[in-house]
């Protein structure tokens, strides 16, 4: 249960201070879905930069440069790959040969090892399942809606991906996980977070003098690209979904991580479940990763 967040200031109406404040408040609001690591990606001075640390958002101090127009962020709850090794944290950097990009993911992929083996993808020290999406995009040598479509149709699991390229194009790939995007056309501002509850909470804290937003809705199986001028291009991909109880993947039978279990119990109410439901699922033999996927499949 991680969280995606970010902003696009496509009319350049915000100061560096305002952008920094928005990102810090958004990141802290996203802590309810992950406190193991926090990271952002943005363009400044002609370069794509990534800043991430194995720290909760409230211990980070983001300072967004004045020339930055787009910030893509992620708060992490670790499921695969220790957050203590910073290379395992989001966003991840990639390069198609024509453009650098950064990718962040909310969800769980369960065929990453199969894809690495079957496609003979380069060996990597990054242990996080999400990184296979970077490798698939690099393999296509392009970053566009078609290459994102190809990537989304190969991975299996729960996901929303956000991708930022070196020219300030911001991409979304919407699987079954939640995503809320608000657009303020008069101001030239786009704000997003994984859930509307998180985004609305951050906006109450920020108390910005904004007009009522338009919600940019994405359905399961949709992609979109928001260009640097704020224009939106959409695409679709074929959904590969097997009902949860029949998925062939079997998670390793190891002792559940108590911190992960506690997080699931703390978050259960958001998905219409109780702490007792989580305890019963564990007693019935489900692993924490399976319970998280069940929450996403059953609600979103």
């Amino acid at each position: 249960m991680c969280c995606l967040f970010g902003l696009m200031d496509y009319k350049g109406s915000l100061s560096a201070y305002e952008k920094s404040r928005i990102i810090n408040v958004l990141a802290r609001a996203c802590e309810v879905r992950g406190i193991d690591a926090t990271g952002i990606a943005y363009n400044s001075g002609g370069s794509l930069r990534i800043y991430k640390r194995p720290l909760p958002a409230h211990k980070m101090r983001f300072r967004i440069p004045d020339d930055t127009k787009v910030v893509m962020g992620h708060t992490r709850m670790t499921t695969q790959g220790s957050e203590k090794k910073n290379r395992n944290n989001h966003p991840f950097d990639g390069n198609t040969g024509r453009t650098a990009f950064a990718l962040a993911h909310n969800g769980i992929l369960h065929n990453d090892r199969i894809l690495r083996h079957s496609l003979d993808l380069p060996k990597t020290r990054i242990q996080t399942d999400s990184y296979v999406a970077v490798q698939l995009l690099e393999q296509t040598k392009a970053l566009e809606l078609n290459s994102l479509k190809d990537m989304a149709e190969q991975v299996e699991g729960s996901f929303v991906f956000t991708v930022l390229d070196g020219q300030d194009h911001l991409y979304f790939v919407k699987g079954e996980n939640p995503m809320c995007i608000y657009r303020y056309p008069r101001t030239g501002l786009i704000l997003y977070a994984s859930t509307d509850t998180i985004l609305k909470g951050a906006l109450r804290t920020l108390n910005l003098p904004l007009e009522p937003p338009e919600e940019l809705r994405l359905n399961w199986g949709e992609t979109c690209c928001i260009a640097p001028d704020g224009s939106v291009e959409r695409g679709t991909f074929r959904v590969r979904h097997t009902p949860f109880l029949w998925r062939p993947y079997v998670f390793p039978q190891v002792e559940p991580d108590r911190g992960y279990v506690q997080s699931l119990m703390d978050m259960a109410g958001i998905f219409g479940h109780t702490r007792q439901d989580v305890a019963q699922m564990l007693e019935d033999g489900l692993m924490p990763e399976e319970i998280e996927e069940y929450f996403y499949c059953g609600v979103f």
Side-chain angles (χ1 to χ4, degrees):
M1 250 180 283
C2 301
C3 197
L4 305 171
F5 66 92
L7 68 80
M8 174 179 277
D9 177 26
Y10 60 89
K11 288 187 178 179
S13 60
L14 299 178
S15 67
Y17 170 80
E18 290 169 325
K19 286 178 282 195
S20 298
R21 179 170 179 262
I22 290 170
I23 287 300
N24 279 289
V25 170
L26 268 175
R28 290 168 194 172
C30 291
E31 282 192 334
V32 295
R33 293 177 64 89
I35 60 171
D36 294 329
T38 311
I40 60 171
Y42 58 92
N43 287 294
S44 179
S47 298
L48 180 61
R49 305 170 188 231
I50 293 176
Y51 177 66
K52 56 185 177 180
R53 294 289 184 273
L55 295 169
H58 71 271
K59 292 188 177 180
M60 304 281 280
R61 295 293 182 270
F62 295 118
R63 293 177 175 83
I64 308 303
D66 187 61
D67 65 339
T68 293
K69 296 294 190 294
V70 186
V71 183
M72 184 185 82
H74 183 276
T75 61
R76 186 181 184 208
M77 186 180 75
T78 303
T79 56
Q80 182 177 320
S82 171
E83 74 280 0
K84 302 302 180 186
K85 298 176 180 177
N86 202 37
R87 61 178 176 269
N88 291 327
N89 296 324
H90 307 234
F92 301 102
D93 66 297
N95 199 304
T96 65
R98 289 188 286 178
T99 184
F101 68 89
L103 178 144
H105 167 225
N106 170 31
I108 299 175
L109 304 180
H110 52 69
N111 68 333
D112 54 308
R113 292 183 179 87
I114 294 171
L115 287 171
R116 289 194 182 102
H117 177 74
S118 63
L119 300 176
D120 195 25
L121 297 175
K123 295 187 184 301
T124 175
R125 296 173 64 206
I126 297 172
Q127 300 166 309
T128 315
D129 54 334
S130 315
Y131 188 67
V132 74
V134 174
Q135 294 182 302
L136 292 172
L137 290 172
E138 289 182 329
Q139 191 179 54
T140 66
K141 302 189 183 305
L143 182 59
E144 56 192 14
L145 291 181
N146 281 337
S147 60
L148 290 168
K149 171 183 181 292
D150 291 342
M151 179 271 288
E153 290 181 347
Q154 291 183 78
V155 298
E156 294 179 357
S158 60
F159 60 83
V160 169
F161 296 101
T162 55
V163 184
L164 174 65
D165 74 8
Q167 289 75 48
D168 276 339
H169 294 85
L170 180 62
Y171 297 88
F172 294 85
V173 181
K174 176 72 169 65
E176 62 197 53
N177 286 18
M179 173 54 63
C180 181
I181 308 170
Y182 283 176
R183 179 174 182 153
Y184 301 86
R186 191 178 71 218
T187 308
L189 179 63
I190 292 172
L191 299 174
Y192 71 89
S194 284
T195 70
D196 61 348
T197 301
I198 290 171
L199 188 52
K200 288 175 181 176
L203 286 166
R204 283 193 296 271
T205 300
L206 288 164
N207 194 27
L208 299 170
L210 297 171
E211 73 269 27
E214 299 175 355
E215 186 170 357
L216 178 58
R217 293 185 177 273
L218 289 178
N219 297 317
W220 188 0
E222 283 193 321
T223 60
C224 86
C225 171
I226 307 178
D229 63 0
S231 60
V232 178
E233 181 183 1
R234 292 177 179 264
T236 61
F237 61 90
R238 179 174 52 88
V239 173
R240 297 180 61 187
H241 178 65
T242 305
F244 167 75
L245 293 177
W246 298 102
R247 289 187 180 178
Y249 182 78
V250 178
F251 287 98
Q253 296 301 305
V254 297
E255 181 67 18
D257 181 286
R258 293 302 158 193
Y260 188 9
V261 170
Q262 184 63 47
S263 295
L264 286 172
M265 288 183 169
D266 291 344
M267 294 293 294
I270 294 175
F271 299 93
H273 295 275
T274 66
R275 299 172 68 87
Q276 290 71 28
D277 291 337
V278 175
Q280 185 61 54
M281 291 177 192
L282 290 168
E283 188 174 329
D284 290 342
L286 292 178
M287 296 298 291
E289 294 90 346
E290 295 175 302
I291 296 172
E292 180 178 357
E293 285 207 51
Y294 173 72
F295 284 171
Y296 284 130
C297 294
V299 177
F300 300 108

